[in-house]
Amino acid sequence: MRILPKGWKAYLIDLDGTLYHGPQMIPGADELISALRAQRIPFLFVTNNSSRTPEEVAAHLKAMGISAQAEEVCTSAVAAAKYIAEEQPGCKVAAIGETGLIKALEDAGLQIVLGHPDVVVQGIDRHFTYETLTRAARWIRSGARYILTNPDLLLPSQDGLMPGAGTISAAIQAASGVKPTVIGKPAAPLMDFAIAQLGLEASEVAVIGDNLNTDIAAGKHAGCGTILTLTGVTTADNLPDYVKSSGVEADVVCRDLAEVRERICGNRG
């Protein structure tokens, strides 16, 4: 089996819900990546999760048996830091997030401060408190720009769905009255960053993901092809609801990663 639209030369592959659930690899993830490598098909791992550095993401994948290198990883944290550094080089940034976001901001030459920031950048923060919410709302209401790494309301995990960065953002938006500039899927900056890394036109790239609202919508908005795998947020049961809520449909829908591999690589590899 190899039935895909012509012209797709490379793939942007989501992680959470597509290749793994928490520490658990989704069946077929290792074989998909191995097949892509064997057939020399270019790809990048593209994740909205801002909590890990690219090095940590690669290590997490390797620990599950999925071949990965840090330079193959594009995170919303790195894309957010690049976006801010290009628009406001060396500015003062208040970071609401975890290791991946902090490291990306430092590497981009931005000043991380605890007060009077030019920019408030927020990602997933599993230690988020009422005090943090209060400070963020006050800074933003006083004129600081608000950048959101990604809008995911929920994240798939081994034990079920958990609140994502978008849920935290909903509280900050309610308290500040300001909508953020969004970096991660389905917004353009992360996609633009990843496509540029491949050095291809958007029409030559396809997105593989489990979430119609983020992965597939991002691919559609960017002009990429799209492959939906029913391994995470979107399932066979809720697919009609997600099509309705997202307003998008994938070019190709696969029941699992074995089917994704067969569609891209054929029965070999």
Side-chain angles (χ1 to χ4, degrees):
M1 178 191 295
R2 188 169 182 172
I3 307 171
L4 290 176
K6 294 180 180 179
W8 293 356
K9 298 178 180 178
Y11 296 87
L12 300 178
I13 306 171
D14 177 57
L15 295 179
D16 292 297
T18 299
L19 297 187
Y20 58 71
H21 293 144
Q24 185 69 42
M25 182 185 75
I26 292 172
D30 52 348
E31 295 175 346
L32 169 61
I33 300 305
S34 294
L36 292 173
R37 292 196 191 283
Q39 296 195 17
R40 297 185 179 180
I41 298 172
F43 67 89
L44 292 172
F45 302 108
V46 180
T47 177
N48 266 1
N49 193 330
S50 63
S51 65
R52 293 189 178 105
T53 66
E55 291 77 12
E56 289 171 334
V57 171
H60 183 62
L61 289 166
K62 289 178 187 176
M64 290 183 284
I66 301 170
S67 172
Q69 303 297 324
E71 57 268 24
E72 296 170 333
V73 179
C74 296
T75 73
S76 64
V78 173
K82 183 176 184 293
Y83 180 89
I84 297 167
E86 287 180 348
E87 294 214 339
Q88 297 172 257
C91 71
K92 294 184 288 185
V93 179
I96 300 172
E98 300 181 9
T99 305
L101 182 58
I102 304 300
K103 181 68 163 50
L105 295 170
E106 291 174 342
D107 288 348
L110 300 167
Q111 302 178 58
I112 299 178
V113 298
L114 299 177
H116 307 291
D118 301 309
V119 178
V120 174
V121 59
Q122 178 242 312
I124 187 70
D125 184 351
R126 281 162 284 199
H127 299 287
F128 186 73
T129 66
Y130 184 80
E131 182 181 357
T132 304
L133 172 61
T134 300
R135 289 199 305 267
R138 288 175 179 170
W139 289 330
I140 295 166
R141 292 178 72 91
S142 296
R145 189 175 181 190
Y146 180 22
I147 303 290
L148 176 62
T149 60
N150 62 291
D152 299 64
L153 296 174
L154 295 170
L155 297 175
S157 72
Q158 189 176 18
D159 300 319
L161 294 174
M162 58 186 287
T167 298
I168 295 172
S169 179
I172 294 175
Q173 290 181 57
S176 68
V178 174
K179 291 186 178 298
T181 297
V182 180
I183 302 300
K185 300 174 285 186
L190 176 57
M191 295 298 295
D192 292 344
F193 174 66
I195 293 168
Q197 295 283 95
L198 289 170
L200 296 171
E201 297 296 323
S203 60
E204 298 176 307
V205 178
V207 175
I208 302 172
D210 70 298
N211 192 328
L212 276 168
N213 285 320
T214 55
D215 307 317
I216 305 307
K220 289 290 185 182
H221 297 160
C224 298
T226 53
I227 300 175
L228 176 69
T229 175
L230 303 177
T231 51
V233 170
T234 310
T235 65
D237 291 336
N238 66 27
L239 177 57
D241 293 333
Y242 270 97
V243 169
K244 184 176 180 180
S245 66
S246 68
V248 299
E249 293 188 53
D251 296 313
V252 177
V253 179
C254 296
R255 64 187 179 277
D256 54 28
L257 294 178
E259 184 178 350
V260 173
R261 178 178 58 80
E262 289 169 3
R263 292 285 190 107
I264 296 173
C265 303
N267 293 316
R268 296 174 300 163

